[in-house]
Amino acid sequence: MYRSHTNGELRIENINNEVTLAGWIQKTRELGAMTFADLRDRYGITQLVFGEELLQVAKELGREDVVQVKGKVIERESKNKKIPTGEIEIEVTELTVLNKSKTPPFTIEDETDGGEELRMQYRYLDLRRKPLQDALKLRHRLSIEVRKYLDSIDFFEIETPYLIKSTPEGARDFVVPSRMNPTQFYALPQSPQTFKQLLMVSGYDRYYQIVRCFRDEDLRADRQPEFTQIDCEMAFVDQEDVLNTFEGMVTHLFKTVKNIELTDFPRMDYAQAMEQYGSDKPDIRFGMTFNYINEVAQNKGFQIFDDAESVIAIVAEDCSTYTRKELDKLVDFVKRPQVGAKGLIYAKYNEDGTFKSSVDKFYNQDDLKAWADKCGAKPGDLILVLSGDKATTQNQMNTLRLHLGDELGLRNPNEYAPLWVYDFPLLEWDEDTARYHAMHHPFTSPKKEDMHLLDTKPGEVRANAYDLVLNGTEIGGGSIRIHDKETQALMFKHLGFTEEEAKAQFGFLMNAFEYGAPPHGGIALGFDRLCALFGGQETIRDFIAFPKNNSGRDVMIDSPSAISDEQLDELNIDIKAVEAQ
Ligand code: ASP
């Protein structure tokens, strides 16, 4: 028996017990004729105390040595209230060093001195730290509760293949050469989309999978080339059924994992989200919604507003006392290239009912009162205005709104505000390729009542597509699918596929639709992001045991890497020819 207890287990009740513990030496300190050591495992830390007989061996202990100790539990003289084992210590009678450790490259403590890159290189050491252990524990808890909930309502967990065929879902595929089929390639799934739909055709009417997905996208901060989804599909459902089911799941997760009762699960259509928040994933923890003030702001001689398609105002409550410097900072913020506004107009609605604006030359007190009335501003508030073409201005105002929300402390990390956004556009115009792309994916069904616009105004057709948003972050998305061959063929046509291309790529799916495909729909939730949100962290990396760095590299195993000439030959890849191109 290596240990009788873990290092997080012993309490004052265990006084005088003879115990055996094992773990890692976190640190040692000498105090007169005694040596103390902190023994750590994933359950906690227990203090060891070595008397005179063991002093010599104890002195030689190094950080991260793996040891086994036998001894007696005694009450500590100076108690440590911060840890659960802080009232006791082990009077060691026997010490066995199971394995010596080299001095680790950084301290294995809650606050470490190791830089990001170094910790990634020694991820197995970083993972010994409590914050990371807590993150992985939370991930485990969430995955268990997802399974419990879905199992309780008859979902089957079914695995789908990782070696598949390219499906155009917006991102680039990772491809895998096939040794047995020279010049041919598998693709790693961007999601199990077509497989889960085929499972519906097969009659497994409630499917889920906590599944790895792969997308070879350009790297952005906090994107991982492989990531995990809670992928789900249901048959004989309409949109309402799917939303209710997954509202239930998210509510269950909050209740069981965080003991938080989510009471409100509002829904908003895409058009309203864009109009009021300039975003398809609004953070509704705070107001500051958009006001379109064209009517009261135009035709007063201020050219910039007069030329604008939209003049949009938001109200920062109780901010009329902003100083010149604070206002300049906001102006600088919107002028940054990432936001791209030309300028920012403000109007202070002073406590005494007067106005002071940056455009006093063009607007008198009555004019500014009209702005305030239009926006529902009250004395003491600050009105901020951006203008230009509608879509761009909405986008810029969204960024400003979120920035102000942060500055004013309105985005409380301990408050959780979920939201469904639905009725997304079916298609999205892509400037680069000068054609429409599916906004969600090509299997998403158009809304019946919009079908007649498909030929004339394709950009206005709405889809039976929805996103689950939490605190301004999209955590999931899905749709009711097309389930008949004709509509699917029509969709491919609108996406610019020839009949032959559609058949070559998706013939299997369209054929399946001819054998009694039931109406179906589903959703996928980003599991890594969900974990980060539950853990109150911005980045997903700590919630993945072995993540890639920001350049998509695993610096610990040093991947991607070159492969041998023999392997290349076997795979029929002539890298010299590729290099020569
Ligand atoms: N396969 C979709 C995605 O990965 C989700 C879905 O439509 O169910 O975004």
Side-chain angles (χ1 to χ4, degrees):
M1 183 180 66
Y2 269 110
R3 53 185 177 183
S4 60
H5 297 80
T6 68
N7 293 317
E9 209 177 333
L10 296 167
R11 301 284 184 276
I12 201 91
E13 302 84 74
N14 300 97
I15 298 275
N16 288 329
N17 287 12
E18 292 291 337
V19 298
T20 309
L21 299 181
W24 289 264
I25 297 293
Q26 176 144 318
K27 61 175 173 223
T28 57
R29 55 197 174 277
E30 286 172 37
L31 210 75
M34 311 235 264
T35 294
F36 292 93
D38 282 347
L39 188 65
R40 185 195 64 232
D41 60 16
R42 84 170 162 94
Y43 305 91
I45 287 178
T46 298
Q47 177 159 293
L48 310 177
V49 50
F50 299 91
E52 225 149 320
E53 330 68 74
L54 287 173
L55 215 54
Q56 210 39 49
V57 261
K59 266 193 178 149
E60 278 159 28
L61 286 176
R63 283 197 284 138
E64 301 308 312
D65 284 351
V66 184
V67 303
Q68 181 191 46
V69 295
K70 290 188 196 306
K72 193 164 78 177
V73 182
I74 58 172
E75 184 167 359
R76 231 155 118 166
E77 250 172 52
S78 61
K79 302 203 165 49
N80 179 354
K81 291 267 179 279
K82 283 193 213 127
I83 56 171
T85 61
E87 290 191 296
I88 57 99
E89 60 193 1
I90 310 300
E91 192 177 55
V92 179
T93 49
E94 221 181 299
L95 168 74
T96 314
V97 176
L98 299 173
N99 208 350
K100 285 293 286 176
S101 169
K102 278 169 72 173
T103 305
F106 48 85
T107 53
I108 317 280
E109 291 174 31
D110 290 10
E111 299 289 335
T112 174
D113 55 359
E116 182 85 4
E117 197 69 12
L118 192 64
R119 286 188 289 124
M120 288 285 269
Q121 199 182 333
Y122 293 91
R123 184 71 175 175
Y124 48 90
L125 293 181
D126 206 17
L127 285 171
R128 283 185 191 165
R129 296 194 307 117
K130 190 166 180 328
L132 281 144
Q133 296 194 340
D134 287 346
L136 292 189
K137 184 169 155 190
L138 175 68
R139 186 182 177 107
H140 164 73
R141 200 65 264 140
L142 277 165
S143 72
I144 293 290
E145 291 303 335
V146 165
R147 290 192 162 98
K148 269 203 216 159
Y149 174 80
L150 292 175
D151 177 59
S152 77
I153 50 172
D154 282 338
F155 276 76
F156 273 1
E157 181 165 16
I158 302 174
E159 286 162 280
T160 50
Y162 279 160
L163 293 176
I164 64 162
K165 169 180 164 141
S166 227
T167 57
E169 268 193 73
R172 238 171 264 119
D173 284 320
F174 279 102
V175 294
V176 180
S178 163
R179 179 180 58 84
M180 310 251 261
N181 304 275
T183 77
Q184 294 189 324
F185 298 81
Y186 300 102
L188 301 179
Q190 293 181 32
S191 86
Q193 185 60 36
T194 49
F195 288 97
K196 66 174 173 176
Q197 291 192 240
L198 292 172
L199 285 171
M200 295 305 111
V201 178
S202 307
Y204 298 87
D205 62 1
R206 291 178 163 212
Y207 142 95
Y208 83 99
Q209 189 180 187
I210 299 182
V211 64
R212 200 69 55 80
C213 302
F214 306 84
R215 294 183 191 173
D216 189 5
E217 286 175 295
D218 291 340
L219 290 150
R220 274 203 250 140
D222 213 29
R223 273 266 178 85
Q224 289 284 322
E226 52 179 304
F227 58 97
T228 304
Q229 287 190 340
I230 309 170
D231 189 50
C232 310
E233 196 75 5
M234 306 167 83
F236 304 113
V237 286
D238 54 27
Q239 178 166 303
E240 199 54 29
D241 300 313
V242 180
L243 301 197
N244 287 333
T245 304
F246 290 94
E247 202 166 299
M249 185 177 89
V250 172
T251 306
H252 172 85
L253 295 179
F254 269 99
K255 181 76 204 132
T256 51
V257 179
K258 284 191 89 74
N259 200 20
I260 289 177
E261 208 82 56
L262 287 186
T263 45
D264 210 11
F265 230 113
R267 293 172 190 191
M268 189 184 291
D269 70 19
Y270 172 88
Q272 186 190 350
M274 294 310 292
E275 197 75 4
Q276 292 192 336
Y277 297 90
S279 164
D280 59 3
K281 40 177 187 293
D283 184 346
I284 57 163
R285 279 173 299 180
F286 66 108
M288 234 190 254
T289 49
F290 294 4
N291 304 282
Y292 293 77
I293 64 164
N294 292 46
E295 219 174 277
V296 289
Q298 287 178 326
N299 304 318
K300 301 278 177 189
F302 185 47
Q303 196 70 34
I304 294 177
F305 281 179
D306 289 350
D307 292 345
E309 180 186 359
S310 292
V311 184
I312 306 180
I314 55 173
V315 177
E317 274 184 51
D318 301 325
C319 291
S320 69
T321 48
Y322 261 37
T323 60
R324 180 80 224 191
K325 213 164 141 203
E326 286 172 308
L327 289 163
D328 284 347
K329 261 200 183 154
L330 288 182
V331 176
D332 289 344
F333 176 81
V334 300
K335 281 186 170 171
R336 294 182 323 154
Q338 298 95 313
V339 187
K342 292 214 177 62
L344 175 70
I345 303 299
Y346 69 82
K348 295 177 173 182
Y349 194 173
N350 298 319
E351 287 288 0
D352 64 7
T354 62
F355 289 90
K356 172 84 196 86
S357 83
S358 54
V359 282
D360 282 346
K361 249 205 289 186
F362 302 98
Y363 299 91
N364 63 29
Q365 295 286 307
D366 287 343
D367 297 333
L368 295 172
K369 179 71 172 53
W371 291 18
D373 289 344
K374 186 91 190 153
C375 302
K378 54 176 188 2
D381 292 347
L382 172 69
I383 302 171
L384 296 164
V385 192
L386 289 172
S387 64
D389 80 80
K390 187 170 179 183
T392 312
T393 311
Q394 282 177 333
N395 193 10
Q396 293 166 346
M397 198 49 125
N398 166 47
T399 314
L400 176 63
R401 175 181 174 269
L402 293 175
H403 174 71
L404 273 168
D406 282 332
E407 276 210 335
L408 300 172
L410 301 172
R411 305 180 76 188
N412 175 1
N414 295 318
E415 185 188 337
Y416 295 92
L419 171 76
W420 286 109
V421 178
Y422 63 94
D423 278 1
F424 274 80
L426 181 72
L427 302 164
E428 187 174 37
W429 182 255
D430 181 60
E431 289 293 343
D432 293 341
T433 48
R435 67 176 184 83
Y436 279 104
H437 284 261
M439 190 149 175
H440 188 52
H441 51 53
F443 317 108
T444 294
S445 62
K447 281 183 93 76
K448 259 208 189 83
E449 60 269 38
D450 290 357
M451 281 290 272
H452 66 281
L453 297 169
L454 209 46
D455 282 320
T456 47
K457 294 179 185 153
E460 287 181 21
V461 178
R462 290 166 304 165
N464 294 308
Y466 34 81
D467 272 359
L468 180 55
V469 177
L470 186 64
N471 293 358
T473 301
E474 179 206 322
I475 58 165
S479 62
I480 297 299
R481 327 296 185 189
I482 296 167
H483 67 277
D484 66 284
K485 189 180 173 177
E486 292 69 38
T487 315
Q488 191 63 70
L490 185 69
M491 185 67 189
F492 285 137
K493 193 183 117 211
H494 279 280
L495 293 173
F497 285 71
T498 64
E499 236 171 87
E500 292 70 41
E501 283 167 344
K503 209 166 154 207
Q505 291 242 28
F506 295 110
F508 64 95
L509 187 69
M510 297 211 277
N511 285 343
F513 284 171
E514 293 192 290
Y515 289 94
H520 60 285
I523 191 169
L525 279 74
F527 187 54
D528 310 295
R529 167 81 40 222
L530 194 69
C531 293
L533 268 162
F534 268 70
Q537 301 290 318
E538 300 268 312
T539 55
I540 63 175
R541 208 182 298 165
D542 285 352
F543 295 84
I544 300 170
F546 297 103
K548 311 266 187 286
N549 73 4
N550 271 347
S551 334
R553 293 198 69 84
D554 184 325
V555 291
M556 181 182 66
I557 62 170
D558 189 24
S559 162
S561 61
I563 56 173
S564 70
D565 288 346
E566 291 75 36
Q567 277 175 300
L568 286 169
D569 277 348
E570 229 171 31
L571 294 168
N572 287 285
I573 296 175
D574 186 351
I575 212 157
K576 303 234 162 42
V578 177
E579 279 168 358
Q581 272 174 16

